[in-house]
Amino acid sequence: MESNKNSTGATRRDFIKTGAAAAAGFMVVPRHVLGGAGFVAPSDKLIVAGIGVGGKGNSDLKSFHDSGKAEIAFLCDVDDRRAADSVKRFPKAKYYKDFREMLDKEHKNIDAVSVSTPDHNHAIQALAAMQLGKHVYVQKPLTHDIFEARALTEAAKKYKVVTQMGNQGASGDGVRIMREWFDAGLIGDVHTIYTWTDRPVWPQGIPWPEQKAEVPKELDWDLWLGTAPYKDYVDKLVPFNWRGWWDYGTGALGDMGCHIMEAPFSILGLQYVKDVQASVGSVYVDEFKRGYFPESCPPSSYAVLTFPKSEKTSGDVKIHWMDGGIQPQRPEELGANEVFGDGGNGILFIGTKGKMMAGCYAENPRLLPTSLTEQHKLPVKYTRVPGGAGGHYAQWVEACIAGFGNKEVSSPFAIAGPLTEALLMANLAIRGSDLRVDNKYPGRNLKLLWDNNAMKVTNFDEVNQFVKRQYRNGWELPTV
């Protein structure tokens, strides 16, 4: 394995600036003379490779490029159809189907890697890049499993690379405004938080399709499966509905939880869960006959996570999570015709002195009653990210160019890792409540007790199989 110094683009840029210029006897001319104010020389740009470049991956790469400080040099996707827009947008970028081949052949030419693939392949792709000394941007949720989230958190420390999870609300103004309200004591000590989403917006609580289909010629199905168990290809799984299947996705919690729970984490300084309980929506296939679809996430769920006292709270904090259209009771301080959260998603903080709420990404924060919002205009305490949530991408690009430890990012793995673990702990309770053993459901109505150091549930061992899943042969997660 190459050292961090030799495998990053920093060495190449330094050589261009010093070694090559000195050897040729040229005088280095300031950039503004050659290219005008704000000009960024090619040698000063972050050389980015994208893994998963369709859909969200396409928009991520565009946002990096639009910062003016990144060059999208390599594209990788298992599906030529999904990659088409990125290939058209970045015609000079070299295209690969297998990320392993791309990293093996091109790692000396890559500074940073963006991962925007289905959840089950995030960890293996991100870790491969990190072990080569590459900075990484990984879409939410950070990983599919709790073990993987812990592994990437540790990897970020070991390999000293700049990391960022794709929960852009972490860079928004909303969470900073709410943090300033909290720090000023406007709502007192927070003990309870409600979070909710109207997702899933894909099928869940259904049986796996019986009819296999022909694999599209543009798709490498084996590479798409990656770490997941081999199954025959079925229609309507790719490119989006995989989110509702446990082998690949993490349900509504994985899709939206990082966007919605980030504010409670950063405002209250929360870390790891101590216990969690959950209940799930039922699907009945006949009179008094409940369907059993263990491969699919449930149609709706409700989880309660307990976090131990942090430096910013006086005691434990409970976060309630609801999905599938379920919402908490409207607070009495909210007017009858006022929108709760943003209508479909929301965050409600309950403190000893008051309440505050926001929508997804912590957008449109309001004190309750909402008339208080305009009455409390506090001085800016937390520096705003230029561009707000949209600046999440440029922030990472600039931090990568500055080098590890030289510039702050909003969602480094040190924060994103524990946040992802919390979401996946809730999923552990959700799966546990629907786990059938000897035709019974022993995990229902339990509170799962979590040993954080051992990374295991201590009072219901059957659910620990989901903390670290079995990987397909040849697709095991490398040791950090």
Side-chain angles (χ1 to χ4, degrees):
M1 182 177 70
E2 294 184 344
S3 71
N4 184 55
K5 180 179 179 182
N6 290 334
S7 61
T8 63
T11 299
R12 185 176 69 256
R13 287 192 296 272
D14 291 344
F15 175 79
I16 291 172
K17 292 177 182 177
T18 57
F26 293 130
M27 180 177 68
V28 178
V29 181
R31 285 179 300 173
H32 70 272
V33 174
L34 295 174
F39 174 76
V40 179
S43 59
D44 288 334
K45 287 192 175 184
L46 186 74
I47 308 303
V48 177
I51 304 176
V53 300
K56 188 59 181 169
N58 178 36
S59 64
D60 285 346
L61 293 177
K62 180 182 183 299
S63 295
F64 299 139
H65 179 267
D66 288 350
S67 72
K69 300 179 181 180
E71 177 184 343
I72 311 305
F74 301 96
L75 304 173
C76 180
D77 204 292
V78 301
D79 191 338
D80 296 342
R81 301 168 302 176
R82 298 289 291 168
D85 287 345
S86 285
V87 170
K88 183 178 179 181
R89 187 189 302 275
F90 306 108
K92 295 181 179 180
K94 192 170 182 180
Y95 181 67
Y96 287 89
K97 273 208 165 184
D98 191 332
F99 79 93
R100 299 167 299 182
E101 180 186 6
M102 180 184 73
L103 292 178
D104 181 57
K105 291 183 177 180
E106 308 291 353
H107 64 91
K108 292 183 180 180
N109 304 315
I110 296 170
D111 297 332
V113 175
S114 174
V115 175
S116 186
T117 55
D119 302 351
H120 67 291
N121 285 326
H122 282 187
I124 193 172
Q125 292 163 343
L127 186 54
M130 295 168 79
Q131 290 183 326
L132 290 169
K134 311 306 174 189
H135 309 299
V136 288
Y137 183 102
V138 182
Q139 262 305 326
K140 50 74 195 169
L142 186 61
T143 63
H144 184 276
D145 301 338
I146 295 171
F147 172 82
E148 294 175 336
R150 188 71 59 90
L152 290 196
T153 303
E154 294 303 316
K157 299 177 186 176
K158 179 176 181 179
Y159 300 114
K160 299 187 185 305
V161 294
V162 178
T163 60
Q164 181 99 297
M165 184 169 69
N167 56 328
Q168 58 269 33
S171 291
D173 292 355
V175 65
R176 288 159 177 77
I177 292 170
M178 296 178 84
R179 192 182 307 169
E180 288 161 355
W181 288 343
F182 173 76
D183 288 357
L186 297 185
I187 66 169
D189 182 59
V190 172
H191 49 80
T192 304
I193 301 170
Y194 288 92
T195 59
W196 66 96
T197 181
D198 54 4
R199 298 207 176 191
V201 292
W202 53 83
Q204 289 191 182
I206 57 175
W208 181 258
E210 295 181 0
Q211 185 70 37
K212 68 178 183 179
E214 183 177 351
V215 179
K217 65 180 185 301
E218 300 90 349
L219 172 67
D220 189 317
W221 176 237
D222 187 69
L223 288 179
W224 188 94
L225 284 171
T227 64
Y230 183 84
K231 287 183 179 179
D232 289 325
Y233 177 81
V234 295
D235 280 332
K236 297 184 178 180
L237 180 70
V238 177
F240 188 66
N241 289 345
W242 54 265
R243 288 193 176 279
W245 300 101
W246 289 122
D247 277 347
Y248 322 113
T250 47
L253 260 162
D255 184 47
M256 298 302 291
C258 291
H259 289 316
I260 297 172
M261 285 197 198
E262 189 278 333
F265 258 70
S266 61
I267 292 169
L268 301 182
L270 303 179
Q271 282 290 311
Y272 295 100
V273 173
K274 61 188 288 188
D275 61 60
V276 60
Q277 54 189 301
S279 56
V280 300
S282 303
V283 177
Y284 280 79
V285 296
D286 205 344
E287 296 176 3
F288 295 99
K289 184 179 180 181
R290 181 174 177 171
Y292 179 59
F293 310 121
E295 295 174 302
S296 176
C297 307
S300 59
S301 62
Y302 174 40
V304 183
L305 303 97
T306 306
F307 294 85
K309 177 185 180 302
S310 76
E311 293 181 355
K312 296 185 176 182
T313 68
S314 63
D316 289 355
V317 175
K318 289 191 181 295
I319 295 185
H320 298 249
W321 167 267
M322 303 173 183
D323 61 47
I326 302 171
Q327 293 189 0
Q329 180 180 347
R330 292 170 60 89
E332 293 181 1
E333 298 88 343
L334 187 65
N337 292 330
E338 291 184 292
V339 175
F340 192 17
D342 62 22
N345 312 278
I347 315 164
L348 174 65
F349 289 75
I350 300 178
T352 53
K353 295 181 180 179
K355 300 172 184 176
M356 62 183 180
M357 73 171 185
C360 187
Y361 311 124
E363 290 182 340
N364 191 21
R366 285 149 290 169
L367 292 164
L368 297 181
T370 55
S371 58
L372 292 177
T373 306
E374 293 300 318
Q375 298 175 25
H376 293 282
K377 296 293 185 181
L378 303 180
V380 172
K381 178 179 179 181
Y382 296 102
T383 303
R384 306 303 193 246
V385 176
H392 197 60
Y393 302 92
Q395 183 196 55
W396 175 72
V397 170
E398 292 170 2
C400 292
I401 293 172
F404 177 78
N406 292 318
K407 193 174 188 301
E408 185 180 67
V409 291
S410 299
S411 191
F413 291 0
I415 297 173
L419 170 59
T420 299
E421 284 195 38
L423 305 177
L424 298 177
M425 274 298 302
N427 268 346
L428 208 61
I430 288 168
R431 295 190 78 172
S433 68
D434 212 27
L435 184 64
R436 187 160 70 182
V437 179
D438 297 329
N439 212 32
K440 297 179 181 179
Y441 296 89
R444 289 182 186 170
N445 304 312
L446 290 183
K447 176 190 288 186
L448 302 185
L449 305 179
W450 180 244
D451 183 331
N452 188 56
N453 292 328
M455 277 199 299
K456 64 180 294 185
V457 171
T458 59
N459 63 323
F460 183 44
D461 189 57
E462 289 87 344
V463 82
N464 286 315
Q465 63 183 294
F466 305 125
V467 173
K468 179 184 179 182
R469 63 199 157 96
Q470 292 293 317
Y471 298 98
R472 191 157 60 110
N473 288 339
W475 289 90
E476 293 84 2
L477 191 70
T479 302
V480 174

